[in-house]
Amino acid sequence: MSQQPLQSIWDTYTASWKTDSAADRTALFAQSLDPACTYNDPLATAQGWDQLTTYMDNFHSQVPGGHFVTHYFASHNQQSIAKWNMVDGSGQVIGEGVSYGRYNDQNRLVAMTGFFETP
């Protein structure tokens, strides 16, 4: 499989971090995430859409307008790696990291693991 479909899924998933609309986020999740997905990073673990939504809401309360911009993406065998910048609402880069994703046969993310320096 070419990496294009998985990159599109990844971009849809990362767009869900940018929106603060519950309806928009649910629509983006439906296009990119398995309902039983797991999320892990140095600060949190989330299981499923509800816990991930809570974590994203907490992120937005700490970093208003915060989101992620992918600047490198590679994939093979239903797995991906992405290098990204965390940016604040004004577009300033405030952090960087790498994420690993695993996808099911429907090209939905089943696991997302983020790596970044913690304060």
Side-chain angles (χ1 to χ4, degrees), residues 8-35:
S8 177
I9 294 296
W10 184 261
D11 291 344
T12 301
Y13 161 67
T14 57
S16 71
W17 281 90
K18 187 171 187 176
T19 185
D20 55 9
S21 159
D24 290 349
R25 187 177 289 152
T26 298
L28 292 166
F29 281 3
Q31 296 171 48
S32 61
L33 301 180
D34 185 274

PDB file of all heavy atoms in Angstrom, residues 8-35:
ATOM      1  N   SER A   8      -3.257  10.606   4.723  1.00  0.00           N
ATOM      2  CA  SER A   8      -4.527  11.311   4.767  1.00  0.00           C
ATOM      3  C   SER A   8      -5.257  11.022   6.088  1.00  0.00           C
ATOM      4  O   SER A   8      -5.824  11.933   6.715  1.00  0.00           O
ATOM      5  CB  SER A   8      -5.382  10.891   3.571  1.00  0.00           C
ATOM      6  OG  SER A   8      -6.641  11.519   3.642  1.00  0.00           O
ATOM      7  N   ILE A   9      -5.233   9.767   6.517  1.00  0.00           N
ATOM      8  CA  ILE A   9      -5.845   9.397   7.805  1.00  0.00           C
ATOM      9  C   ILE A   9      -5.121  10.123   8.942  1.00  0.00           C
ATOM     10  O   ILE A   9      -5.758  10.667   9.852  1.00  0.00           O
ATOM     11  CB  ILE A   9      -5.793   7.865   8.008  1.00  0.00           C
ATOM     12  CG1 ILE A   9      -6.674   7.161   6.978  1.00  0.00           C
ATOM     13  CG2 ILE A   9      -6.181   7.477   9.429  1.00  0.00           C
ATOM     14  CD1 ILE A   9      -8.144   7.461   7.061  1.00  0.00           C
ATOM     15  N   TRP A  10      -3.791  10.142   8.894  1.00  0.00           N
ATOM     16  CA  TRP A  10      -3.018  10.829   9.933  1.00  0.00           C
ATOM     17  C   TRP A  10      -3.378  12.316   9.979  1.00  0.00           C
ATOM     18  O   TRP A  10      -3.576  12.886  11.049  1.00  0.00           O
ATOM     19  CB  TRP A  10      -1.513  10.639   9.713  1.00  0.00           C
ATOM     20  CG  TRP A  10      -0.726  11.253  10.812  1.00  0.00           C
ATOM     21  CD1 TRP A  10      -0.106  12.469  10.813  1.00  0.00           C
ATOM     22  CD2 TRP A  10      -0.524  10.700  12.106  1.00  0.00           C
ATOM     23  NE1 TRP A  10       0.467  12.697  12.031  1.00  0.00           N
ATOM     24  CE2 TRP A  10       0.233  11.633  12.842  1.00  0.00           C
ATOM     25  CE3 TRP A  10      -0.894   9.503  12.720  1.00  0.00           C
ATOM     26  CZ2 TRP A  10       0.620  11.395  14.167  1.00  0.00           C
ATOM     27  CZ3 TRP A  10      -0.508   9.273  14.036  1.00  0.00           C
ATOM     28  CH2 TRP A  10       0.236  10.219  14.740  1.00  0.00           C
ATOM     29  N   ASP A  11      -3.455  12.939   8.811  1.00  0.00           N
ATOM     30  CA  ASP A  11      -3.787  14.371   8.761  1.00  0.00           C
ATOM     31  C   ASP A  11      -5.185  14.633   9.322  1.00  0.00           C
ATOM     32  O   ASP A  11      -5.414  15.649   9.993  1.00  0.00           O
ATOM     33  CB  ASP A  11      -3.681  14.889   7.325  1.00  0.00           C
ATOM     34  CG  ASP A  11      -2.240  14.938   6.819  1.00  0.00           C
ATOM     35  OD1 ASP A  11      -1.296  14.862   7.639  1.00  0.00           O
ATOM     36  OD2 ASP A  11      -2.068  15.053   5.591  1.00  0.00           O
ATOM     37  N   THR A  12      -6.115  13.730   9.067  1.00  0.00           N
ATOM     38  CA  THR A  12      -7.467  13.877   9.623  1.00  0.00           C
ATOM     39  C   THR A  12      -7.418  13.756  11.139  1.00  0.00           C
ATOM     40  O   THR A  12      -8.050  14.547  11.866  1.00  0.00           O
ATOM     41  CB  THR A  12      -8.404  12.815   9.009  1.00  0.00           C
ATOM     42  OG1 THR A  12      -8.430  12.992   7.589  1.00  0.00           O
ATOM     43  CG2 THR A  12      -9.808  12.931   9.574  1.00  0.00           C
ATOM     44  N   TYR A  13      -6.668  12.777  11.640  1.00  0.00           N
ATOM     45  CA  TYR A  13      -6.502  12.623  13.091  1.00  0.00           C
ATOM     46  C   TYR A  13      -5.882  13.881  13.708  1.00  0.00           C
ATOM     47  O   TYR A  13      -6.385  14.398  14.705  1.00  0.00           O
ATOM     48  CB  TYR A  13      -5.656  11.378  13.381  1.00  0.00           C
ATOM     49  CG  TYR A  13      -5.041  11.375  14.756  1.00  0.00           C
ATOM     50  CD1 TYR A  13      -5.841  11.282  15.894  1.00  0.00           C
ATOM     51  CD2 TYR A  13      -3.662  11.455  14.925  1.00  0.00           C
ATOM     52  CE1 TYR A  13      -5.270  11.286  17.161  1.00  0.00           C
ATOM     53  CE2 TYR A  13      -3.100  11.451  16.178  1.00  0.00           C
ATOM     54  CZ  TYR A  13      -3.898  11.366  17.296  1.00  0.00           C
ATOM     55  OH  TYR A  13      -3.327  11.376  18.551  1.00  0.00           O
ATOM     56  N   THR A  14      -4.811  14.406  13.117  1.00  0.00           N
ATOM     57  CA  THR A  14      -4.175  15.576  13.725  1.00  0.00           C
ATOM     58  C   THR A  14      -5.096  16.790  13.660  1.00  0.00           C
ATOM     59  O   THR A  14      -5.055  17.642  14.548  1.00  0.00           O
ATOM     60  CB  THR A  14      -2.799  15.899  13.096  1.00  0.00           C
ATOM     61  OG1 THR A  14      -2.937  16.096  11.700  1.00  0.00           O
ATOM     62  CG2 THR A  14      -1.802  14.786  13.373  1.00  0.00           C
ATOM     63  N   ALA A  15      -5.955  16.866  12.645  1.00  0.00           N
ATOM     64  CA  ALA A  15      -6.935  17.965  12.591  1.00  0.00           C
ATOM     65  C   ALA A  15      -7.878  17.917  13.788  1.00  0.00           C
ATOM     66  O   ALA A  15      -8.370  18.963  14.241  1.00  0.00           O
ATOM     67  CB  ALA A  15      -7.722  17.905  11.290  1.00  0.00           C
ATOM     68  N   SER A  16      -8.112  16.716  14.328  1.00  0.00           N
ATOM     69  CA  SER A  16      -9.004  16.601  15.486  1.00  0.00           C
ATOM     70  C   SER A  16      -8.413  17.267  16.726  1.00  0.00           C
ATOM     71  O   SER A  16      -9.143  17.657  17.637  1.00  0.00           O
ATOM     72  CB  SER A  16      -9.352  15.135  15.772  1.00  0.00           C
ATOM     73  OG  SER A  16      -8.253  14.416  16.295  1.00  0.00           O
ATOM     74  N   TRP A  17      -7.098  17.419  16.763  1.00  0.00           N
ATOM     75  CA  TRP A  17      -6.447  18.124  17.879  1.00  0.00           C
ATOM     76  C   TRP A  17      -6.668  19.633  17.784  1.00  0.00           C
ATOM     77  O   TRP A  17      -6.585  20.332  18.782  1.00  0.00           O
ATOM     78  CB  TRP A  17      -4.945  17.847  17.896  1.00  0.00           C
ATOM     79  CG  TRP A  17      -4.601  16.517  18.477  1.00  0.00           C
ATOM     80  CD1 TRP A  17      -4.479  15.334  17.796  1.00  0.00           C
ATOM     81  CD2 TRP A  17      -4.345  16.220  19.844  1.00  0.00           C
ATOM     82  NE1 TRP A  17      -4.160  14.332  18.675  1.00  0.00           N
ATOM     83  CE2 TRP A  17      -4.066  14.849  19.935  1.00  0.00           C
ATOM     84  CE3 TRP A  17      -4.311  17.000  21.008  1.00  0.00           C
ATOM     85  CZ2 TRP A  17      -3.764  14.218  21.134  1.00  0.00           C
ATOM     86  CZ3 TRP A  17      -4.000  16.373  22.206  1.00  0.00           C
ATOM     87  CH2 TRP A  17      -3.737  14.995  22.263  1.00  0.00           C
ATOM     88  N   LYS A  18      -6.922  20.136  16.581  1.00  0.00           N
ATOM     89  CA  LYS A  18      -7.025  21.579  16.380  1.00  0.00           C
ATOM     90  C   LYS A  18      -8.414  22.109  16.712  1.00  0.00           C
ATOM     91  O   LYS A  18      -8.554  23.228  17.217  1.00  0.00           O
ATOM     92  CB  LYS A  18      -6.653  21.931  14.937  1.00  0.00           C
ATOM     93  CG  LYS A  18      -6.569  23.424  14.688  1.00  0.00           C
ATOM     94  CD  LYS A  18      -5.999  23.727  13.321  1.00  0.00           C
ATOM     95  CE  LYS A  18      -5.766  25.223  13.140  1.00  0.00           C
ATOM     96  NZ  LYS A  18      -5.124  25.514  11.861  1.00  0.00           N
ATOM     97  N   THR A  19      -9.454  21.327  16.437  1.00  0.00           N
ATOM     98  CA  THR A  19     -10.814  21.819  16.616  1.00  0.00           C
ATOM     99  C   THR A  19     -11.231  21.791  18.085  1.00  0.00           C
ATOM    100  O   THR A  19     -10.790  20.942  18.843  1.00  0.00           O
ATOM    101  CB  THR A  19     -11.824  21.019  15.762  1.00  0.00           C
ATOM    102  OG1 THR A  19     -13.101  21.630  15.894  1.00  0.00           O
ATOM    103  CG2 THR A  19     -11.924  19.572  16.223  1.00  0.00           C
ATOM    104  N   ASP A  20     -12.065  22.756  18.471  1.00  0.00           N
ATOM    105  CA  ASP A  20     -12.653  22.697  19.803  1.00  0.00           C
ATOM    106  C   ASP A  20     -14.157  22.447  19.718  1.00  0.00           C
ATOM    107  O   ASP A  20     -14.876  22.552  20.709  1.00  0.00           O
ATOM    108  CB  ASP A  20     -12.321  23.939  20.637  1.00  0.00           C
ATOM    109  CG  ASP A  20     -12.713  25.227  19.947  1.00  0.00           C
ATOM    110  OD1 ASP A  20     -13.396  25.173  18.904  1.00  0.00           O
ATOM    111  OD2 ASP A  20     -12.311  26.298  20.441  1.00  0.00           O
ATOM    112  N   SER A  21     -14.619  22.078  18.528  1.00  0.00           N
ATOM    113  CA  SER A  21     -16.023  21.719  18.318  1.00  0.00           C
ATOM    114  C   SER A  21     -16.188  20.218  18.534  1.00  0.00           C
ATOM    115  O   SER A  21     -15.543  19.412  17.851  1.00  0.00           O
ATOM    116  CB  SER A  21     -16.452  22.079  16.893  1.00  0.00           C
ATOM    117  OG  SER A  21     -17.598  21.349  16.514  1.00  0.00           O
ATOM    118  N   ALA A  22     -17.046  19.847  19.486  1.00  0.00           N
ATOM    119  CA  ALA A  22     -17.265  18.418  19.763  1.00  0.00           C
ATOM    120  C   ALA A  22     -17.795  17.689  18.535  1.00  0.00           C
ATOM    121  O   ALA A  22     -17.373  16.567  18.235  1.00  0.00           O
ATOM    122  CB  ALA A  22     -18.221  18.254  20.941  1.00  0.00           C
ATOM    123  N   ALA A  23     -18.714  18.323  17.799  1.00  0.00           N
ATOM    124  CA  ALA A  23     -19.290  17.680  16.614  1.00  0.00           C
ATOM    125  C   ALA A  23     -18.236  17.487  15.532  1.00  0.00           C
ATOM    126  O   ALA A  23     -18.161  16.416  14.910  1.00  0.00           O
ATOM    127  CB  ALA A  23     -20.454  18.506  16.080  1.00  0.00           C
ATOM    128  N   ASP A  24     -17.409  18.509  15.312  1.00  0.00           N
ATOM    129  CA  ASP A  24     -16.348  18.391  14.303  1.00  0.00           C
ATOM    130  C   ASP A  24     -15.350  17.311  14.704  1.00  0.00           C
ATOM    131  O   ASP A  24     -14.899  16.525  13.869  1.00  0.00           O
ATOM    132  CB  ASP A  24     -15.612  19.719  14.116  1.00  0.00           C
ATOM    133  CG  ASP A  24     -16.469  20.772  13.421  1.00  0.00           C
ATOM    134  OD1 ASP A  24     -17.554  20.426  12.901  1.00  0.00           O
ATOM    135  OD2 ASP A  24     -16.042  21.940  13.405  1.00  0.00           O
ATOM    136  N   ARG A  25     -15.002  17.285  15.987  1.00  0.00           N
ATOM    137  CA  ARG A  25     -14.026  16.297  16.454  1.00  0.00           C
ATOM    138  C   ARG A  25     -14.571  14.886  16.265  1.00  0.00           C
ATOM    139  O   ARG A  25     -13.856  14.001  15.795  1.00  0.00           O
ATOM    140  CB  ARG A  25     -13.657  16.554  17.915  1.00  0.00           C
ATOM    141  CG  ARG A  25     -12.515  15.661  18.371  1.00  0.00           C
ATOM    142  CD  ARG A  25     -12.101  15.960  19.783  1.00  0.00           C
ATOM    143  NE  ARG A  25     -11.428  17.245  19.867  1.00  0.00           N
ATOM    144  CZ  ARG A  25     -11.424  18.003  20.966  1.00  0.00           C
ATOM    145  NH1 ARG A  25     -12.046  17.618  22.057  1.00  0.00           N
ATOM    146  NH2 ARG A  25     -10.777  19.150  20.974  1.00  0.00           N
ATOM    147  N   THR A  26     -15.820  14.667  16.616  1.00  0.00           N
ATOM    148  CA  THR A  26     -16.416  13.340  16.446  1.00  0.00           C
ATOM    149  C   THR A  26     -16.414  12.931  14.976  1.00  0.00           C
ATOM    150  O   THR A  26     -16.119  11.779  14.644  1.00  0.00           O
ATOM    151  CB  THR A  26     -17.847  13.316  17.010  1.00  0.00           C
ATOM    152  OG1 THR A  26     -17.779  13.605  18.416  1.00  0.00           O
ATOM    153  CG2 THR A  26     -18.505  11.958  16.825  1.00  0.00           C
ATOM    154  N   ALA A  27     -16.705  13.859  14.086  1.00  0.00           N
ATOM    155  CA  ALA A  27     -16.687  13.560  12.649  1.00  0.00           C
ATOM    156  C   ALA A  27     -15.278  13.193  12.194  1.00  0.00           C
ATOM    157  O   ALA A  27     -15.097  12.243  11.416  1.00  0.00           O
ATOM    158  CB  ALA A  27     -17.220  14.749  11.856  1.00  0.00           C
ATOM    159  N   LEU A  28     -14.264  13.909  12.684  1.00  0.00           N
ATOM    160  CA  LEU A  28     -12.875  13.606  12.330  1.00  0.00           C
ATOM    161  C   LEU A  28     -12.462  12.256  12.909  1.00  0.00           C
ATOM    162  O   LEU A  28     -11.770  11.469  12.244  1.00  0.00           O
ATOM    163  CB  LEU A  28     -11.947  14.722  12.818  1.00  0.00           C
ATOM    164  CG  LEU A  28     -12.124  16.054  12.084  1.00  0.00           C
ATOM    165  CD1 LEU A  28     -11.432  17.180  12.848  1.00  0.00           C
ATOM    166  CD2 LEU A  28     -11.614  15.977  10.656  1.00  0.00           C
ATOM    167  N   PHE A  29     -12.872  11.976  14.151  1.00  0.00           N
ATOM    168  CA  PHE A  29     -12.585  10.663  14.752  1.00  0.00           C
ATOM    169  C   PHE A  29     -13.186   9.551  13.892  1.00  0.00           C
ATOM    170  O   PHE A  29     -12.539   8.530  13.649  1.00  0.00           O
ATOM    171  CB  PHE A  29     -13.172  10.571  16.160  1.00  0.00           C
ATOM    172  CG  PHE A  29     -12.384  11.257  17.247  1.00  0.00           C
ATOM    173  CD1 PHE A  29     -11.230  11.974  16.992  1.00  0.00           C
ATOM    174  CD2 PHE A  29     -12.825  11.175  18.560  1.00  0.00           C
ATOM    175  CE1 PHE A  29     -10.518  12.593  18.023  1.00  0.00           C
ATOM    176  CE2 PHE A  29     -12.122  11.780  19.596  1.00  0.00           C
ATOM    177  CZ  PHE A  29     -10.973  12.487  19.321  1.00  0.00           C
ATOM    178  N   ALA A  30     -14.429   9.724  13.456  1.00  0.00           N
ATOM    179  CA  ALA A  30     -15.115   8.686  12.684  1.00  0.00           C
ATOM    180  C   ALA A  30     -14.377   8.375  11.384  1.00  0.00           C
ATOM    181  O   ALA A  30     -14.419   7.238  10.903  1.00  0.00           O
ATOM    182  CB  ALA A  30     -16.552   9.110  12.396  1.00  0.00           C
ATOM    183  N   GLN A  31     -13.687   9.367  10.837  1.00  0.00           N
ATOM    184  CA  GLN A  31     -12.944   9.176   9.592  1.00  0.00           C
ATOM    185  C   GLN A  31     -11.551   8.600   9.815  1.00  0.00           C
ATOM    186  O   GLN A  31     -10.929   8.120   8.861  1.00  0.00           O
ATOM    187  CB  GLN A  31     -12.791  10.516   8.867  1.00  0.00           C
ATOM    188  CG  GLN A  31     -14.086  11.139   8.416  1.00  0.00           C
ATOM    189  CD  GLN A  31     -13.839  12.552   7.906  1.00  0.00           C
ATOM    190  OE1 GLN A  31     -12.945  12.791   7.111  1.00  0.00           O
ATOM    191  NE2 GLN A  31     -14.634  13.502   8.387  1.00  0.00           N
ATOM    192  N   SER A  32     -11.029   8.669  11.049  1.00  0.00           N
ATOM    193  CA  SER A  32      -9.613   8.334  11.229  1.00  0.00           C
ATOM    194  C   SER A  32      -9.303   7.356  12.359  1.00  0.00           C
ATOM    195  O   SER A  32      -8.243   6.747  12.339  1.00  0.00           O
ATOM    196  CB  SER A  32      -8.802   9.618  11.465  1.00  0.00           C
ATOM    197  OG  SER A  32      -9.237  10.289  12.637  1.00  0.00           O
ATOM    198  N   LEU A  33     -10.185   7.210  13.338  1.00  0.00           N
ATOM    199  CA  LEU A  33      -9.866   6.416  14.521  1.00  0.00           C
ATOM    200  C   LEU A  33     -10.816   5.241  14.723  1.00  0.00           C
ATOM    201  O   LEU A  33     -12.030   5.382  14.584  1.00  0.00           O
ATOM    202  CB  LEU A  33      -9.952   7.279  15.793  1.00  0.00           C
ATOM    203  CG  LEU A  33      -9.063   8.498  15.893  1.00  0.00           C
ATOM    204  CD1 LEU A  33      -9.306   9.206  17.221  1.00  0.00           C
ATOM    205  CD2 LEU A  33      -7.606   8.128  15.740  1.00  0.00           C
ATOM    206  N   ASP A  34     -10.259   4.119  15.097  1.00  0.00           N
ATOM    207  CA  ASP A  34     -11.063   3.007  15.579  1.00  0.00           C
ATOM    208  C   ASP A  34     -11.661   3.417  16.935  1.00  0.00           C
ATOM    209  O   ASP A  34     -10.972   4.053  17.734  1.00  0.00           O
ATOM    210  CB  ASP A  34     -10.168   1.774  15.748  1.00  0.00           C
ATOM    211  CG  ASP A  34     -10.953   0.546  16.121  1.00  0.00           C
ATOM    212  OD1 ASP A  34     -11.194   0.338  17.329  1.00  0.00           O
ATOM    213  OD2 ASP A  34     -11.334  -0.201  15.209  1.00  0.00           O
ATOM    214  N   PRO A  35     -12.922   3.091  17.207  1.00  0.00           N
ATOM    215  CA  PRO A  35     -13.528   3.506  18.493  1.00  0.00           C
ATOM    216  C   PRO A  35     -12.783   2.993  19.727  1.00  0.00           C
ATOM    217  O   PRO A  35     -12.840   3.621  20.779  1.00  0.00           O
ATOM    218  CB  PRO A  35     -14.946   2.920  18.423  1.00  0.00           C
ATOM    219  CG  PRO A  35     -15.224   2.786  16.966  1.00  0.00           C
ATOM    220  CD  PRO A  35     -13.904   2.456  16.317  1.00  0.00           C
TER     221      PRO A  35
END
